[in-house]
Amino acid sequence: MAAEVGGFEDPSAEVLAEAAAAFGLLASPARLHIVWALAQGESDVTGLAERVGGALPAVSQHLTKLKLAGLVRSRREGRRQVYFVDDPDVVTVVRLVVGQLTDRAAPADRTGAAESTAAGGRTARGALRRIRGVGA
């Protein structure tokens, strides 16, 4: 049974499982970078591989997983397969999370990574601890 707290009803188990699967796919830095790049505009696999610094076969495999999950779509343009994210909610979530973490890291960029890390600062691990509420 779904609980209602503060005017919000808990989502169903199926919805939570689907969301967890989508977040699981985005938990890979390479796949997140691909979705981030596609949120900025469509691209073929060669352009994506150059942009994210990945090998063509690896980027292609990541795209296949993202496409199977429905996070990315593609269309044929002549001999090229062009990939894009056409779900504005996915674009919003990725831009929000990456943008927030980028903004938080900005002071560390100005003061130096070593100083920031020593102060428990803006490393990826530190950001995850802050998100989870551990050592905040």
Side-chain angles (χ1 to χ4, degrees), residues 25-122:
L25 280 169
L26 294 176
S28 159
R31 285 192 291 272
L32 183 58
H33 196 176
I34 290 167
V35 173
W36 170 263
L38 291 175
Q40 313 312 312
E42 58 189 33
S43 180
D44 64 6
V45 67
T46 303
L48 281 169
E50 289 172 4
R51 180 162 179 185
V52 303
L56 198 65
V59 171
S60 182
Q61 287 179 351
H62 287 306
L63 284 166
T64 298
K65 289 180 181 182
L66 291 166
K67 193 174 172 184
L68 286 171
L71 296 175
V72 167
R73 291 190 40 202
S74 68
R75 72 170 186 285
R76 186 151 299 282
E77 267 187 16
R79 296 175 61 194
R80 295 180 338 140
Q81 193 81 358
V82 177
Y83 294 88
F84 57 97
V85 179
D86 79 343
D87 184 339
D89 294 332
V90 170
V91 171
T92 299
V93 168
V94 169
R95 284 184 176 166
L96 177 68
V97 172
V98 173
Q100 287 292 322
L101 292 174
T102 300
D103 289 348
R104 290 178 188 168
D109 292 342
R110 288 192 289 273
T111 61
E115 183 180 320
S116 174
T117 301
R122 310 290 188 212

